[in-house]
Amino acid sequence: MAWTVAGILAFVTVLGVIRFGTGKSVAPSSPEPAPDIQTIKAKAEAGDAEAQQTLGTMYVKGQSVIQDYAAAAKWYRLAANQGNPEGQNSLGELYEAGQGVKRDEVQAAQWYRKAADQGNVGGEYNLAVLYEFGRGVPKDPAQAGGWFGLAADQGDGLAQFDIGQRCERGLGVPVDRVEAYKWYSLAAAENITDAAKFRDDLKSNMSREEIAEGKRRARAFVPKKIAPRSAR
């Protein structure tokens, strides 16, 4: 299905949170063991883009280092300039939030696009939000819907919740309760707040056959791998 959208719920504003370096949108889980800071620093200083991205995220989180957004921006930029998509997305998030750099939504959109063009799900979602609200780019609901759709197809829970609402309410696509049920179920599996409630509320307007089909589609869902635009 080609996603073209006339509007979006304000819910995205609430959940369009900064997701530095994760490329995912799930509820917080138990903390992961901290990477070895000395090893990461040595690799980052030697020019390893992945280590630079990791070190930037450690500075954002204050993980094994004192929290320092300016230092995070430095390491994200080094990774981003080497074409690291997570570094590009994370640098965009700093620009959007005005943390460690001067707030600049145009710069944020440019970095999100670089990440999104490489199939980075966080970049796709973040760019979609900017297009939906016309921040840093001209407002373009069709572009927003396209990027949300790509992120949802790759398994991003927030994007799946967004697409579920579009299908339920006919926002730019025909009303399709079965598809809405599928997307809500997938978002709920990613621990997205309210996704299960939206799905269960929707059930009251669905037949048994529709519910069964929605469940079947959710079980059959396999996240897609999106090739970089240069390879398409």
Side-chain angles (χ1 to χ4, degrees), residues 2 9 28 58 71 110 122 142 146 148 165 173 182 184 199-200 214 228:
L9 303 183
M58 292 174 75
Q110 290 172 354
F148 278 130
Q165 292 173 81
V173 295
K182 177 190 83 173
Y184 286 152
R199 177 197 61 202
D200 294 342

Side-chain angles (χ1 to χ4, degrees), residues 34-54:
D36 177 63
I37 184 63
Q38 296 306 323
T39 300
I40 295 296
K41 270 189 174 179
K43 288 183 177 180
E45 288 168 355
D48 183 284
E50 186 175 342
Q52 291 167 345
Q53 154 66 22
T54 299

Side-chain angles (χ1 to χ4, degrees), residues 161 181 183-203:
F161 190 24
Y181 188 97
W183 289 116
Y184 286 152
S185 296
L186 292 168
E190 292 291 328
N191 298 320
I192 300 303
T193 304
D194 286 337
K197 179 181 183 301
F198 275 51
R199 177 197 61 202
D200 294 342
D201 289 347
L202 178 64
K203 285 169 67 174

Side-chain angles (χ1 to χ4, degrees), residues 8-10 12-13 128-135 137-140 144:
I8 186 175
L9 303 183
V12 169
T13 311
V129 172
L130 295 190
Y131 270 118
E132 191 61 52
F133 295 101
R135 291 166 31 212
V137 290
K139 186 172 182 176
D140 190 332

Side-chain angles (χ1 to χ4, degrees), residues 86-110:
E86 289 189 356
Q88 291 165 343
N89 179 54
S90 298
L91 184 58
E93 289 176 329
L94 289 180
Y95 272 111
E96 185 179 359
Q99 293 177 311
V101 293
K102 184 178 178 181
R103 190 167 185 266
D104 186 333
E105 290 181 333
V106 173
Q107 283 279 328
Q110 290 172 354

